[in-house]
Amino acid sequence: MGEFVFAISSKDNSELWLSTDDSPLHVQLLARVGKTGTEWTAPGEFEKYASQISSPFRLFAERRYFFEVIHKQNHKGTDHVEVAWQLLDQNYGFVIIDSQHISLYVNESSFSMNDVAHIPQTLASHATSAKKDLSATVDMLREDLQDTFYQGESDSNFPLLRYQGLQFVRLSYVYPNDYTRLTHMETENSCFYPESQYYMNMYKFSRYMRLDPPEKRNLDRGTFFFFFFWTEVLFGLQNSIKTEMVAEDEKQSKGNATGEDRAKDEWDPVWIPDVDFEGPDDGDLTPPPEYDAEVNWDQTFQIANLDFQAFRSDWIDLHCNVSGNLLLRSSEALPLVRAFMEQLNRKRFTLVRVINVVKRADGVQGNRYLLELMLKDVNGQLLRLSHYIYALFRQSRSRNRGHGFRKTKTETLLCNPVGLHWNPDTTVHFIVPVKNQARWVQTLIRDMETLFRITGDTNFNLIITDYGSTDMDVRKALQESSLPRFQYLKLSGDFERSAGLQAGVNHIKDDHSIVFLCDLHIHFPESIIDTIRKHCVEGYKAFAPIVMRLDCGATPQDAKGYWEVNGFGLLGIFKSDLNAVGGMNTKEFKNRWGGEDWELLDRSVLFFFKSCLIA
């Protein structure tokens, strides 16, 4: 008995339905790959879409469970579908379901193709069922306790050239998957996959699949639509059609081969070497793959759990603006949380859920983490803990009796970083310079009112510096709003973003409050105020949220666009730190805007010994 999580991957769409017992009448939709016909995954890629992974499902040993897999494939690419599972909150990844734990619902070996009476009619077979609609189209719009897109941090103690600070910014790792990867935009930018576009057009995902030869093929495995499985150990079903990629002249040369050679050639899987293909996208130089007219339903293949995240680095890739956050492996995050809870349990807290873990990597001394956990105290009250810890790498040595030398073992020691604490009551000042932007100023005020209504947080302040707007009375709009705190500054002359921001900064009296240099045309998540507080630490960290730039005509509810990975126009920083950096550059950026954010980033990198620019 145990809590299991199921996952499915396929090209193109697929659905996994599972019953609570051995009856087809009790099936429920657990996981799927898309529903619009445009979604797909590579073989064994189980974390591309949020819908691919099920909620925990309790299974009991020695019981039979009916399940059904529906798969839809278009005429392009390599078709595949795989189902995997893992025990809840375990450190290992998904494991493909093995056939030793699957049995046929009905033995179809003696049936004709027109024998269909034995096929059960379930909810999965009826597209009109309301239960098939699970979630929003874009994964990152789903409700989740994680709702912030994190970037990285930097450190430097030597002079920088103009706009060189971006090179010292590093991405952070997050757990669990926050689905900031813009999978719905990958038809325009497929940089997440390492293959060249020419390779993808020609061979799709054949390099990730190994066809089984006849002597290793389990004849009990095939392509069936209805199965039972046993719940003792991990299982996997694999199926494929056989493909041949040979030119016409190669076919003719094989015609003279012996029967043994032909059989060997027929079952040798086609492997494409790991090289970059360069050539025209239409594939004129290489003949396209040819598929058997007759499908071999006994052909099986092997795949592994595919993790493209392992190929990514923490450098900002300006050519790939759809990949989203780096993902932290559960094998690293969960042991860290358990070790932290062992220390915390001296105060008798119980872990309810891991909300978020953010890692700042340091491969030499150790890694810094922000843990966000949902806990329950001895009285049953739910608490949310957000705490910075440092995992220090410590080398311990032991003497080997046989050889007389010492073996080195790396141990992880959890520490509290000195001074790295955030204050949930710190005042956050939003500063926005404007001129003749009535529609967007009104939207900004409404968004700030919404934040106050939902959070009840009174420790934030909206400061609007107005360069003599004539299309609306900004002061009156603020006075008629329900905002708990606001300030209006009237400026004269042409619009200057740097000067407008600095005027707002100068108006703040408390040097130990947070300044958030802001702009119009921004949709704010409900957690933005606390997010700014958590990632701004006086003397240590500044916060630069990466925003998604929407395409023309798109809306936050229909989020089509890309991550602005090289923009730092939005910046959260303590006023004392901003003063130490030198404030906004109002001399060089007097009659223009654009570039002032990168110039401020340069000085911030030089100022902070461990400057954290998180987005």
Side-chain angles (χ1 to χ4, degrees):
M1 182 181 71
E3 296 280 348
F4 286 81
V5 178
F6 291 84
I8 189 169
S9 69
S10 64
K11 186 179 185 310
D12 294 296
N13 295 154
S14 61
E15 294 179 352
L16 170 64
W17 294 72
L18 178 62
S19 175
T20 54
D21 50 31
D22 59 358
S23 172
L25 300 178
H26 302 149
V27 294
Q28 54 185 286
L29 179 58
L30 290 192
R32 71 179 177 204
V33 176
K35 59 180 180 179
T36 66
T38 60
E39 300 86 359
W40 50 267
T41 75
E45 185 182 16
F46 294 113
E47 296 189 75
K48 183 175 182 178
Y49 304 103
S51 61
Q52 287 181 258
I53 301 177
S54 74
S55 300
F57 194 98
R58 182 173 292 274
L59 300 178
F60 296 88
E62 302 299 333
R63 290 191 183 179
R64 290 158 60 92
Y65 295 85
F66 176 89
F67 76 92
E68 185 173 352
V69 175
I70 297 179
H71 178 215
K72 180 177 68 175
Q73 157 70 10
N74 64 16
H75 64 286
K76 299 179 180 179
T78 306
D79 61 324
H80 65 90
V81 59
E82 304 86 40
V83 178
W85 67 355
Q86 68 175 356
L87 280 169
L88 182 63
D89 292 335
Q90 297 300 308
N91 296 341
Y92 53 81
F94 285 104
V95 178
I96 302 296
I97 300 173
D98 191 86
S99 59
Q100 63 180 312
H101 300 287
I102 300 175
S103 62
L104 294 177
Y105 178 68
V106 175
N107 189 344
E108 300 175 322
S109 59
S110 61
F111 289 3
S112 301
M113 290 297 294
N114 62 339
D115 292 332
V116 296
H118 65 285
I119 300 177
Q121 297 300 303
T122 68
L123 287 175
S125 306
H126 297 79
T128 57
S129 172
K131 295 184 179 180
K132 298 189 74 169
D133 190 16
L134 284 182
S135 61
T137 303
V138 181
D139 283 341
M140 67 177 180
L141 297 180
R142 295 160 57 101
E143 291 187 6
D144 200 316
L145 293 178
Q146 297 182 101
D147 50 15
T148 307
F149 184 64
Y150 297 99
Q151 193 189 311
E153 64 178 48
S154 61
D155 58 276
S156 171
N157 283 320
F158 50 87
L160 299 177
L161 299 176
R162 175 60 63 90
Y163 301 150
Q164 196 178 11
L166 183 63
Q167 300 179 20
F168 294 90
V169 177
R170 297 291 181 270
L171 297 172
S172 292
Y173 297 78
V174 299
Y175 172 87
N177 194 337
D178 58 358
Y179 295 100
T180 48
R181 174 182 169 187
L182 304 181
T183 56
H184 60 293
M185 300 302 298
E186 288 183 351
T187 55
E188 302 176 14
N189 187 345
S190 59
C191 59
F192 195 85
Y193 297 97
E195 291 82 2
S196 67
Q197 190 61 45
Y198 178 72
Y199 179 96
M200 291 290 293
N201 290 341
M202 289 297 298
Y203 304 110
K204 303 302 179 184
F205 294 113
S206 58
R207 67 175 295 183
Y208 304 114
M209 306 163 64
R210 182 185 295 275
L211 302 184
D212 291 331
E215 61 272 13
K216 294 184 179 180
R217 191 176 71 236
N218 185 344
L219 296 181
D220 291 335
R221 292 189 296 183
T223 302
F224 305 98
F225 294 99
F226 309 98
F227 302 91
F228 286 111
F229 65 83
W230 295 93
T231 60
E232 296 165 349
V233 294
L234 305 180
F235 66 103
L237 170 70
Q238 304 145 351
N239 63 79
S240 169
I241 62 172
K242 179 171 65 69
T243 66
E244 292 183 7
M245 301 181 185
V246 292
E248 289 297 329
D249 56 342
E250 293 176 326
K251 288 184 177 179
Q252 295 175 3
S253 64
K254 287 186 177 181
N256 299 324
T258 64
E260 181 180 352
D261 291 337
R262 284 197 300 270
K264 181 178 184 300
D265 290 340
E266 180 182 2
W267 289 102
D268 275 345
V270 178
W271 288 102
I272 308 302
D274 292 333
V275 297
D276 290 333
F277 287 81
E278 296 182 359
D281 289 341
D282 57 7
D284 290 337
L285 300 181
T286 306
E290 297 184 8
Y291 297 89
D292 288 348
E294 181 180 354
V295 175
N296 184 352
W297 293 109
D298 290 332
Q299 177 63 62
T300 58
F301 64 86
Q302 302 294 326
I303 67 167
N305 190 356
L306 193 57
D307 182 13
F308 284 111
Q309 294 287 342
F311 298 103
R312 300 181 62 192
S313 72
D314 58 358
W315 288 81
I316 292 181
D317 186 356
L318 298 180
H319 300 288
C320 192
N321 52 19
V322 297
S323 295
N325 284 332
L326 294 170
L327 298 185
L328 181 63
R329 295 178 180 272
S330 60
S331 58
E332 179 178 352
L334 296 181
L336 181 76
V337 171
R338 283 194 288 267
F340 178 78
M341 289 302 301
E342 289 178 2
Q343 301 296 322
L344 193 65
N345 269 334
R346 298 172 182 175
K347 299 183 179 180
R348 302 170 67 183
F349 289 101
T350 303
L351 177 65
V352 177
R353 177 179 174 182
V354 179
I355 299 175
N356 195 27
V357 179
V358 184
K359 169 189 172 182
R360 162 57 176 154
D362 183 345
V364 179
Q365 300 182 16
N367 301 317
R368 194 189 68 219
Y369 300 86
L370 172 62
L371 301 183
E372 296 193 82
L373 311 174
M374 184 175 291
L375 308 177
K376 182 184 294 185
D377 64 13
V378 292
N379 298 320
Q381 182 179 1
L382 291 178
L383 306 171
R384 179 164 175 168
L385 173 69
S386 298
H387 187 72
Y388 283 101
I389 63 171
Y390 199 89
L392 182 66
F393 299 147
R394 185 174 62 179
Q395 304 293 332
S396 62
R397 296 181 178 180
S398 60
R399 183 175 297 277
N400 188 306
R401 295 181 179 179
H403 300 278
F405 60 85
R406 294 181 177 181
K407 295 189 298 183
T408 301
K409 180 181 179 181
T410 301
E411 298 179 350
T412 301
L413 178 65
L414 297 187
C415 309
N416 282 317
V418 176
L420 209 61
H421 305 286
W422 69 282
N423 185 353
D425 297 322
T426 302
T427 299
V428 178
H429 301 273
F430 292 82
I431 305 177
V432 185
V434 303
K435 181 174 183 177
N436 291 334
Q437 292 283 324
R439 174 186 174 188
W440 292 106
V441 170
Q442 196 63 52
T443 300
L444 170 67
I445 295 175
R446 284 199 302 266
D447 287 348
M448 292 291 109
E449 289 177 316
T450 301
L451 289 179
F452 174 59
R453 183 176 66 254
I454 293 176
T455 65
D457 195 331
T458 59
N459 291 329
F460 77 94
N461 179 33
L462 176 60
I463 302 176
I464 295 182
T465 57
D466 179 20
Y467 282 90
S469 294
T470 58
D471 58 349
M472 73 172 294
D473 190 335
V474 179
R475 185 196 300 270
K476 182 179 179 181
L478 287 170
Q479 292 172 343
E480 293 177 350
S481 71
S482 60
L483 293 176
R485 298 172 61 182
F486 63 85
Q487 290 170 296
Y488 173 80
L489 300 178
K490 187 173 183 179
L491 305 178
S492 59
D494 295 332
F495 179 83
E496 299 178 20
R497 185 173 188 270
S498 292
L501 291 172
Q502 188 61 47
V505 172
N506 295 338
H507 202 68
I508 299 173
K509 305 302 181 183
D510 183 8
D511 286 350
H512 303 292
S513 59
I514 298 174
V515 176
F516 190 69
L517 308 177
C518 196
D519 207 341
L520 296 173
H521 318 102
I522 301 294
H523 175 74
F524 295 99
E526 299 171 1
S527 61
I528 183 63
I529 302 175
D530 262 351
T531 299
I532 295 171
R533 291 187 181 117
K534 281 185 293 188
H535 298 292
C536 289
V537 180
E538 192 168 9
Y540 290 90
K541 294 179 58 182
F543 173 69
I546 287 182
V547 299
M548 182 178 180
R549 183 177 292 275
L550 297 177
D551 291 344
C552 183
T555 66
Q557 291 71 36
D558 183 25
K560 292 183 173 63
Y562 59 90
W563 293 115
E564 190 70 80
V565 294
N566 60 343
F568 291 84
L570 275 63
L571 179 68
I573 185 172
F574 272 84
K575 185 187 177 184
S576 60
D577 293 335
L578 184 58
N579 290 339
V581 169
M584 299 300 301
N585 187 341
T586 58
K587 294 182 179 180
E588 292 188 60
F589 299 91
K590 186 173 181 61
N591 296 317
R592 62 187 177 93
W593 66 91
E596 74 280 353
D597 54 342
W598 280 24
E599 192 274 338
L600 179 59
L601 173 63
D602 290 342
R603 289 183 282 123
S604 299
V605 168
L606 289 173
F607 170 74
F608 289 109
F609 176 70
K610 283 287 183 180
S611 169
C612 184
L613 296 166
I614 301 178

